[in-house]
């Protein structure tokens, strides 16, 4: 039962263009969402998060959009840089349900930014 | 370096042997987590500590697995009688009380041969 789904295993974009990574979730209890970036042989690095009371959160080149009715979120990277090439994981937690400590991850999307 | 530290980075062991991994969280974080990641999957939750108390264990954590966090500082994860299916990246993370943003260590790559 995959509660967090990243349906695109990979994405390739040109340097300077926008990268859009998508994530869907099925558990209505999820109310906090996070994006992590992972390089090979390293642990995930926290990028950006969003609470369900918001529909957008921005941090520099990274913006996360949340559509609660569709149970969908996306991460936009503008402009994309070759150093952004990594696996991106979407994660969710149910803070109001008292289990905000536990993250449920998607399977990840491999982003390749071509020079 | 004040991030989450894991040791060892790599471990190769023979099936049936016991292994132990160590995690040192960020010092002001009172929450500590263990996750496991296999090829093509995202990290999967194993267990969670708040200070020294282990508050939840996933059904993924069979009775061959045990985790401790004495004195609420570092944590150890032990796997007894390792099996080939235990081969994975074992990730430790920590967070502040009430914070959902967990910060991960670099992981321990376990290979059971």
């Amino acid at each position: 039962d995959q509660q967090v789904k990243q349906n695109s295993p990979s994405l390739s974009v040109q340097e300077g263009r926008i990268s859009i990574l998508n994530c869907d979730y099925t558990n209505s209890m999820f109310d906090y969402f996070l994006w992590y970036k992972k390089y090979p042989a390293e642990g995930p690095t926290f990028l950006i998060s969003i609470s369900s009371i918001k529909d957008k959160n921005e941090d520099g080149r990274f913006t996360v959009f949340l559509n609660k009715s569709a149970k969908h979120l996306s991460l936009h990277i503008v402009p994309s840089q070759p150093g952004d090439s990594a696996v991106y994981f979407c994660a969710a937690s149910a803070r109001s349900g008292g289990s905000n400590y536990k993250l449920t991850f998607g399977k990840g999307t491999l982003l390749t930014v071509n020079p | 370096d004040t991030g989450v530290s894991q040791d060892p980075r790599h471990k190769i062991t023979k099936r049936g042997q016991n292994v132990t991994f160590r995690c040192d969280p960020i010092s002001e974080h009172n929450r500590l987590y263990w996750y496991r990641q296999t090829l093509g999957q995202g990290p999967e939750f194993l267990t969670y500590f708040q200070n020294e108390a282990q508050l939840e264990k996933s059904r993924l954590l069979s009775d061959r697995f045990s985790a401790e966090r004495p004195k609420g500082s570092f944590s150890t994860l032990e796997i007894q009688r390792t099996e080939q299916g235990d081969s994975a990246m074992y990730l430790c993370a920590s967070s502040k009380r009430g914070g959902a943003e967990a910060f991960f260590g670099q992981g321990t790559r376990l290979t059971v041969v």
Side-chain angles (χ1 to χ4, degrees), chain B residues 28-91:
Chain B
E28 62 266 29
H29 288 181
N30 68 335
R31 294 181 166 187
L32 186 146
Y33 320 81
W34 286 97
Y35 286 81
R36 181 176 71 184
Q37 185 179 15
T38 54
L39 195 62
Q41 303 293 320
E44 296 174 289
F45 172 79
L46 291 179
T47 190
Y48 156 65
F49 290 85
Q50 182 162 302
N51 299 314
E52 67 276 7
Q54 187 175 19
L55 297 185
E56 184 173 342
K57 294 194 293 185
S58 162
R59 55 184 166 78
L60 292 175
L61 216 64
S62 76
D63 55 8
R64 295 185 297 105
F65 288 70
S66 63
E68 295 182 343
R69 193 184 180 195
K71 303 177 184 177
S73 56
F74 72 92
S75 175
T76 58
L77 177 68
E78 181 184 15
I79 309 174
Q80 296 182 328
R81 305 181 303 281
T82 52
E83 302 173 355
Q84 286 189 320
D86 298 330
S87 295
M89 173 77 86
Y90 289 85
L91 294 162

Side-chain angles (χ1 to χ4, degrees), chain B residues 96-113:
Chain B
K96 294 180 182 180
R97 183 186 181 91
E101 291 87 358
F103 295 87
F104 285 81
Q106 292 185 303
T108 294
R109 167 72 63 188
L110 173 67
T111 302
V112 182
V113 297

Side-chain angles (χ1 to χ4, degrees), chain A:
Chain A
D1 178 25
Q2 195 77 18
Q3 297 185 67
V4 177
K5 301 177 184 179
Q6 293 178 256
N7 292 321
S8 297
S10 63
L11 174 68
S12 182
V13 299
Q14 285 299 119
E15 181 178 4
R17 304 295 291 269
I18 184 172
S19 295
I20 300 176
L21 297 105
N22 293 304
C23 177
D24 297 291
Y25 62 96
T26 58
N27 189 337
S28 299
M29 297 297 292
F30 289 149
D31 55 8
Y32 200 79
F33 305 90
L34 308 90
W35 285 93
Y36 284 83
K37 171 181 177 180
K38 187 178 183 302
Y39 292 118
E42 293 188 9
T45 301
F46 170 72
L47 270 178
I48 192 169
S49 60
I50 187 167
S51 164
S52 60
I53 63 172
K54 295 185 176 181
D55 54 18
K56 177 182 175 182
N57 189 27
E58 191 172 354
D59 183 2
R61 297 185 298 113
F62 303 91
T63 302
V64 57
F65 295 92
L66 175 63
N67 182 334
K68 279 198 307 181
S69 61
K71 293 190 175 66
H72 176 83
L73 62 155
S74 60
L75 174 68
H76 292 209
I77 306 173
V78 182
S80 300
Q81 300 173 354
D84 296 329
S85 298
V87 177
Y88 288 77
F89 290 100
C90 172
S93 70
R95 297 179 83 175
S96 58
S99 60
N100 66 325
Y101 52 85
K102 184 164 60 177
L103 298 177
T104 301
F105 284 83
K107 291 186 177 183
T109 296
L110 173 62
L111 173 66
T112 303
V113 180
N114 301 303

